[in-house]
Amino acid sequence: MLPFARVSIIGLGLIGSSIARGVRERMPTVRLTGHDADLEVRATAERIGLVDDIADSAGAAVTDAELVILCVPVGAVGAVAAEVRDDLPAEAIVSDVGSCKAEPARAMREALPAATIVPAHPVAGTERSGPEAGFASLFHGRWCILTPAPDAPQAAVERVAEFWRRLGAQVQLMTPEHHDRVLAVTSHLPHLIAYTIVGTASDLAEVTRSEVLQYSAGGFRDFTRIAASDPTMWRDVFLHNREAVLDMLQRFSEDLSQLQRAIRWGDGDALFDRFAKTRAIRRGIVEQGQDDAREDFGRAHS
């Protein structure tokens, strides 16, 4: 038995469109309704047949939904939740896909005090965005972290968990605060570093733009992929998870200072020990199936 028969997706970018495609592939009898604040996105979604119905407003999209998924930047979650409040069925479950959980969950509870809310974060994505960027297999083998409140109905939590399992994800439960600290180091800090490194290279007056592009080795090239991610989404993530990000940034700064001292004083042992430890982390990520074990991230080479 399917966990939901009618699903509404608010926000039809990479994650929202991937959910829609995944539902089409894995739960084809589910009725999908979608909405996006951008008129052009709605037109594109309608042209490619992304969902069964495209609504002109967020409220109109949820009128008969059993599950409503807010696939919008975390800074917009509260406002969008308020938009659907008057049209939301009493029995509907509201979820989201945000990369930080504590602040968006608070905003949803404030906007929808009577609703059943089960926040979620599918830990998956690419640097692309828009309704044509999604693909059904995005969540296959990836983690989806649920962060329900302690008083959330267990049946509702299990229905949302089963929905994500049907899309191919592995499901884990965490508190919102723990989630935000974990993601601050595994996702948010790496993005902040990538934006910084790419920005620094761009700003160097003595290195021309053509040289930066021409001589991009693997490390810089992969940083540019991360730094090409949606700027609105990541602006909101850093602003809404600021405490955890600042804490991890401080720890990173201290570790970076240690490496700086090791390089300055020629301490090869310290450098080797650190690099050996981080190499083991990479092996662990591959062993858990969270990345491609092939060389150069599986890129094809002629």
Side-chain angles (χ1 to χ4, degrees):
M1 182 177 176
L2 293 173
F4 301 99
R6 298 181 301 279
V7 174
S8 175
I9 303 170
I10 310 298
L12 300 173
L14 169 67
I15 300 298
S17 64
S18 293
I19 292 172
R21 287 179 169 89
V23 169
R24 293 282 205 207
E25 181 180 279
R26 299 240 174 162
M27 295 173 276
T29 61
V30 170
R31 184 78 179 175
L32 285 173
T33 303
H35 170 74
D36 195 283
D38 189 316
L39 179 60
E40 290 187 12
V41 170
R42 296 203 301 272
T44 299
E46 188 163 20
R47 174 176 57 80
I48 64 178
L50 187 64
V51 295
D52 296 303
D53 295 301
I54 295 289
D56 291 333
S57 69
V62 308
T63 52
D64 65 347
E66 295 177 347
L67 173 66
V68 176
I69 310 175
L70 306 183
C71 302
V72 298
V74 292
V77 163
V80 175
E83 283 185 51
V84 306
R85 178 172 50 222
D86 294 340
D87 298 289
L88 187 70
E91 69 279 5
I93 298 171
V94 179
S95 189
D96 74 323
V97 296
S99 181
C100 56
K101 304 315 308 171
E103 269 299 304
R106 183 201 59 75
M108 282 192 287
R109 286 194 300 271
E110 185 175 294
L112 302 168
T116 300
I117 298 172
V118 182
H121 175 209
V123 187
T126 74
E127 71 276 16
R128 300 180 62 208
S129 58
E132 295 180 292
F135 50 98
S137 61
L138 180 63
F139 312 111
H140 291 189
R142 303 303 182 190
W143 287 100
C144 183
I145 302 172
L146 306 187
T147 61
D151 60 350
Q154 186 57 41
V157 174
E158 180 52 36
R159 288 176 74 190
V160 175
E162 179 59 20
F163 176 81
W164 283 105
R165 292 189 198 104
R166 296 283 183 115
L167 294 181
Q170 304 176 74
V171 176
Q172 178 68 53
L173 268 63
M174 291 184 186
T175 65
E177 294 75 19
H178 185 65
H179 167 280
D180 288 356
R181 289 187 63 79
V182 170
L183 269 294
V185 70
T186 62
S187 176
H188 306 166
L189 184 59
H191 275 80
L192 192 64
I193 294 168
Y195 284 124
T196 304
I197 289 175
V198 175
T200 299
S202 177
D203 292 342
L204 284 174
E206 67 270 23
V207 179
T208 69
R209 177 178 174 81
S210 62
E211 287 174 321
V212 169
L213 298 179
Q214 182 176 351
Y215 300 119
S216 291
F220 183 78
R221 177 195 60 196
D222 292 326
F223 273 122
T224 64
R225 184 192 65 79
I226 297 173
S229 299
D230 185 289
T232 300
M233 181 184 79
W234 283 100
R235 175 202 65 193
D236 287 1
V237 166
F238 291 126
L239 292 178
H240 287 77
N241 196 25
R242 69 181 71 194
E243 296 299 330
V245 169
L246 288 173
D247 183 24
M248 296 304 167
L249 188 58
Q250 178 62 37
R251 294 180 182 222
F252 171 77
S253 298
E254 293 168 0
D255 289 343
L256 190 61
S257 294
Q258 292 178 1
L259 288 175
Q260 185 178 12
R261 285 194 297 272
I263 294 170
R264 176 177 292 116
W265 297 108
D267 189 347
D269 290 342
L271 293 173
F272 182 88
D273 289 345
R274 172 53 64 96
F275 300 159
K277 184 182 297 183
T278 55
R279 190 180 187 188
I281 295 292
R282 171 64 187 172
R283 285 198 297 267
I285 290 173
V286 171
E287 288 169 1
Q288 292 197 22
Q290 296 304 300
D291 206 347
D292 198 311
R294 291 173 294 167
E295 293 181 2
D296 202 17
F297 304 100
R299 290 186 177 95
H301 296 280
S302 59

